[in-house]
Amino acid sequence: MSVAPEMDDETTTTSTESVTSVEDTRREAQLRALDGGPVLEHVDGVSLMAGAANVIMQLSWPGVGYGVMESKVESGRLFDHPIKRSRTTLTYLAVASLGTDEEKRLFRRGVNRAHAQVRSTDESPVEYNAFDPELQLWVAACIYRGFEDTHRILRGEYTGAEREYYYQRGAVFGTTLQVKPEMWPATREAFEEYWTRSLEKVHIDDAVRAHLDIIARAGFGHRSTAKLLGPLNLFITKGFLPQEFRDQMHYSWTSRDQRRFDRMTKMIAAVNRRMPTILREFPYNYLMADLRWRLRTGRSPV
């Protein structure tokens, strides 16, 4: 009978660190080889369950909140045209993360025509302009943060190299519009510093809060839909909101709520991982097909 040689703690630690180092180096090389590759590691349609929470985060800057509430683009107002507005918003996410440069250019042109009408007036409580790159950077940061949060819940944490890679690719959520590449914080660590500073500008007043609460309760659709889905959508929305935003919305959240939310999302994640790709990627795959049909037939992309 052979006996394996004993290894002291120092030798074991060195061996483990060496293996980890090799694995990290290999993974970093793989990610570098993906230059020009996907913005998202996985396209999970179920991540849209966090959509209302992300809208609250975006509109928590007064300039964004009032820009949306006072928009003169009647066809793009959620409460007036919920289906069209939702389609346009989700198509933006799809084309930014999955579209070609030409598709992004054409979609940007359509969005810019609408954004040209979104600017504050003398009667507006705050000053805003939809072309303001600082406001767009905040919106893009919220979108990226939302995708990172839902990935963690659905698929687990990124490794260090993965996190940095997909963060760099996430700049496209802003650069598809007016955000300059150099405005996107240089590293994921720098992004965290930007996020912390940006939280100081978060302020949801009574008017914006009432508007957002209707969205959280799915109250922008048919009355029966809101009655059926409202309570669940509100719970999911509160679950995905960081505490700073819950406080701004005057939402309560208990440890019992958190345990219930964790159980629910764990079950959803398990089902999602086992779904066929065509179903798991819906509606993003459908929206990209619809956009390409619109562009091919000369229709407006937005």
Side-chain angles (χ1 to χ4, degrees):
M1 182 177 73
S2 63
V3 179
E6 291 185 1
M7 301 175 65
D8 59 29
D9 291 342
E10 183 178 354
T11 303
T12 303
T13 300
T14 301
S15 176
T16 302
E17 288 177 350
S18 177
V19 171
T20 301
S21 176
V22 169
E23 290 177 348
D24 287 347
T25 301
R26 184 184 300 118
R27 184 57 177 159
E28 287 173 5
Q30 290 172 339
L31 292 173
R32 285 196 298 271
L34 284 172
D35 185 31
V39 173
L40 304 174
E41 182 178 10
H42 298 283
V43 181
D44 294 308
V46 73
S47 65
L48 292 173
M49 63 183 170
N54 206 260
V55 169
I56 289 173
M57 291 162 64
Q58 294 172 34
L59 272 62
S60 68
W61 271 24
V64 182
Y66 275 95
V68 170
M69 286 177 55
E70 296 185 343
S71 173
K72 301 177 181 67
V73 186
E74 188 269 342
S75 63
R77 290 201 292 262
L78 179 64
F79 291 178
D80 295 325
H81 300 279
I83 295 177
K84 183 180 186 302
R85 173 66 190 197
S86 298
R87 176 178 65 88
T88 301
T89 300
L90 298 183
T91 300
Y92 176 76
L93 300 180
V95 73
S97 55
L98 302 172
T100 65
D101 288 344
E102 178 64 8
E103 287 165 346
K104 291 172 187 173
R105 186 187 70 80
L106 293 172
F107 196 82
R108 179 193 301 119
R109 188 171 66 182
V111 171
N112 284 349
R113 283 198 294 267
H115 277 183
Q117 305 175 58
V118 182
R119 58 184 65 246
S120 56
T121 65
D122 292 340
E123 291 74 36
S124 300
V126 297
E127 192 173 333
Y128 59 84
N129 184 325
F131 285 108
D132 184 341
E134 291 293 341
L135 296 183
Q136 290 187 3
L137 176 59
W138 168 248
V139 170
C142 291
I143 292 172
Y144 168 76
R145 186 87 180 212
F147 275 117
E148 189 178 81
D149 288 346
T150 53
H151 184 280
R152 183 182 66 254
I153 288 173
L154 294 173
R155 297 183 176 276
E157 295 280 3
Y158 283 129
T159 66
E162 288 172 330
R163 193 183 195 208
E164 189 64 34
Y165 171 78
Y166 287 109
Y167 165 70
Q168 297 294 339
R169 299 293 294 157
V172 73
F173 293 120
T175 57
T176 296
L177 294 179
Q178 276 74 47
V179 176
K180 301 297 183 185
E182 59 270 20
M183 293 178 66
W184 192 247
T187 64
R188 181 59 182 78
E189 183 178 354
F191 174 84
E192 201 64 31
E193 295 172 0
Y194 164 81
W195 184 263
T196 299
R197 294 194 307 272
S198 296
L199 290 177
E200 298 174 2
K201 299 182 182 180
V202 167
H203 174 68
I204 302 177
D205 65 15
D206 291 343
V208 176
R209 186 180 302 110
H211 179 90
L212 292 174
D213 188 61
I214 294 173
I215 295 175
R217 297 175 188 274
F220 52 86
H222 193 276
R223 186 178 302 174
S224 60
T225 303
K227 186 175 181 179
L228 179 65
L229 299 178
L232 177 60
N233 198 65
L234 177 62
F235 176 76
I236 292 173
T237 298
K238 291 196 290 184
F240 277 106
L241 280 175
Q243 188 59 48
E244 299 93 337
F245 299 92
R246 289 191 202 122
D247 292 342
Q248 288 285 327
M249 289 296 296
H250 298 173
Y251 286 152
S252 62
W253 190 253
T254 65
S255 57
R256 181 181 179 185
D257 290 330
Q258 187 64 52
R259 289 193 298 273
R260 179 186 167 200
F261 179 77
D262 291 341
R263 288 195 301 269
M264 181 182 69
T265 52
K266 184 177 181 179
M267 180 184 66
I268 291 172
V271 172
N272 180 68
R273 287 193 296 270
R274 290 164 175 78
M275 290 176 66
T277 300
I278 193 171
L279 295 179
R280 182 174 51 77
E281 294 186 351
F282 182 85
Y284 291 115
N285 47 12
Y286 165 78
L287 291 166
M288 281 306 303
D290 177 69
L291 173 67
R292 286 164 180 161
W293 172 78
R294 288 175 175 278
L295 294 176
R296 191 169 58 248
T297 56
R299 290 170 168 80
S300 172
V302 300

